[in-house]
Amino acid sequence: MASTAAMTGSATVTPKHVFGVKADVTDNVAYLDEQTAIFPAGHNLVIHNTEQRSQKFVPGTEGSLGIIAMAVSSNRKFVAVAERSERFGDKPTISVYDLHTLRKRRTLPQPPPEVESRDLVCLAFSPDAKALLTLSGSPDWTLSVWAWEKPKPPTAYLRVSNPQHAELRHASFSPHDNTAICVTGNGICKFCRVHDNALKLIPASMGRREPQFYTCHAWLADDRVLVGTRALPGAPRPSARAMRAPRRAGGGAVDGVRPVSYTHLTLPTKRIV
């Protein structure tokens, strides 16, 4: 809806309602409560209330080329947004917004030179919302963990693909552990955790089963991880299977994987430190 400033003769356009959703954004829909959802549309984040049929907007960063990933913290206080840079060769801009005030809380600094990618696959908050996980794209496929409230480089980062630089699709923290992380992709399902400001992989074996293209995963309430697959030519149709996320002695952090279906993953039972 346009409003005209009679004194100056200028006009501004204020969005009132946006239809549709930007489908190429990772994790592009999240619920803030039972009546309110947040999603990207155009170059905005839209906060849509289904009962009041009203919308609020978080505009994208001026000069960026659009939103490519988003994540909402589990306490529903913050949303992180990654936007592709307008300047060729620049890395994505990652910003964190307060969902109560809709104001920007932080823009993350550029990642270290070891992170070569100019693309970003996904974002994820830790359960306590104090850390932000980013997964960069090709060629390095690097996991980075940021203490986002501080204007500092990532506290830990690690390249998590294989020697063939297989595509990765999804990374997330365990909802039960601020240090446990799962990452999935083409033939890859890996677990790692943060320890002493470093990311450490937990060695895993797929047993005799051939790896598949793991497109997504979700942590379940009983410490299992539900993994979805994409069918390849000549392969079985897409499926979902649950894997038991490993525990250290006394429960808690991920230290190994035990499957609960016919996909066999084995890890040492000793604690990784």
Side-chain angles (χ1 to χ4, degrees):
M1 179 180 293
S3 61
T4 304
M7 296 285 295
T8 63
S10 63
T12 59
V13 177
T14 303
K16 293 298 183 182
H17 198 95
V18 175
F19 296 91
V21 60
K22 198 169 187 291
D24 59 351
V25 175
T26 306
D27 297 329
N28 61 352
V29 179
Y31 277 100
L32 303 183
D33 56 41
E34 292 184 356
Q35 296 83 33
T36 311
I38 183 170
F39 54 88
H43 198 186
N44 302 276
L45 286 181
V46 180
I47 301 172
H48 181 85
N49 187 295
T50 58
E51 285 194 350
Q52 300 176 1
R53 298 184 179 180
S54 62
Q55 292 184 341
K56 298 178 181 179
F57 304 94
V58 179
T61 303
E62 185 176 355
S64 72
L65 295 181
I67 299 170
I68 55 177
M70 61 171 274
V72 175
S73 62
S74 59
N75 58 13
R76 303 299 188 263
K77 291 183 178 180
F78 307 107
V79 59
V81 183
E83 298 171 274
R84 186 167 282 111
S85 175
E86 184 180 33
R87 296 175 54 185
F88 178 78
D90 280 5
K91 298 172 184 178
T93 299
I94 301 171
S95 305
V96 178
Y97 293 86
D98 188 310
L99 283 169
H100 295 291
T101 65
L102 303 186
R103 294 180 179 179
K104 186 182 293 186
R105 284 284 301 270
R106 179 75 63 195
T107 297
L108 271 58
Q110 287 287 293
E114 290 82 358
V115 181
E116 301 174 15
S117 177
R118 300 301 189 257
D119 202 2
L120 192 133
V121 177
C122 67
L123 304 164
F125 281 98
S126 61
D128 62 5
K130 293 182 178 180
L132 183 66
L133 178 69
T134 62
L135 175 60
S136 67
S138 177
D140 51 284
W141 306 104
T142 301
L143 277 177
S144 302
V145 178
W146 307 73
W148 66 267
E149 293 180 292
K150 302 177 182 178
K152 296 181 179 180
T155 56
Y157 56 90
L158 178 70
R159 296 190 177 192
V160 288
S161 188
N162 56 22
Q164 291 74 41
H165 304 288
E167 179 184 357
L168 299 179
R169 285 291 188 88
H170 192 197
S172 67
F173 281 98
S174 163
H176 318 294
D177 190 333
N178 293 309
T179 68
I181 295 168
C182 178
V183 58
T184 47
N186 189 359
I188 294 174
C189 180
K190 294 183 177 181
F191 290 85
C192 57
R193 68 185 178 93
V194 184
H195 182 76
D196 290 339
N197 292 328
L199 273 169
K200 295 188 177 183
L201 280 175
I202 303 168
S205 171
M206 295 297 294
R208 296 181 180 180
R209 185 174 180 82
E210 289 294 324
Q212 299 184 51
F213 199 134
Y214 304 111
T215 58
C216 59
H217 65 264
W219 296 82
L220 304 181
D222 57 357
D223 291 330
R224 289 183 296 172
V225 178
L226 187 67
V227 181
T229 67
R230 184 178 76 182
L232 300 175
R237 63 184 180 180
S239 63
R241 54 184 50 85
M243 303 176 187
R244 177 74 64 183
R247 295 171 174 264
R248 64 185 176 192
V254 169
D255 290 316
V257 173
R258 183 173 64 85
V260 295
S261 65
Y262 50 85
T263 298
H264 294 283
L265 299 176
T266 58
L267 284 178
T269 56
K270 65 180 182 180
R271 179 178 178 181
I272 306 295
V273 294

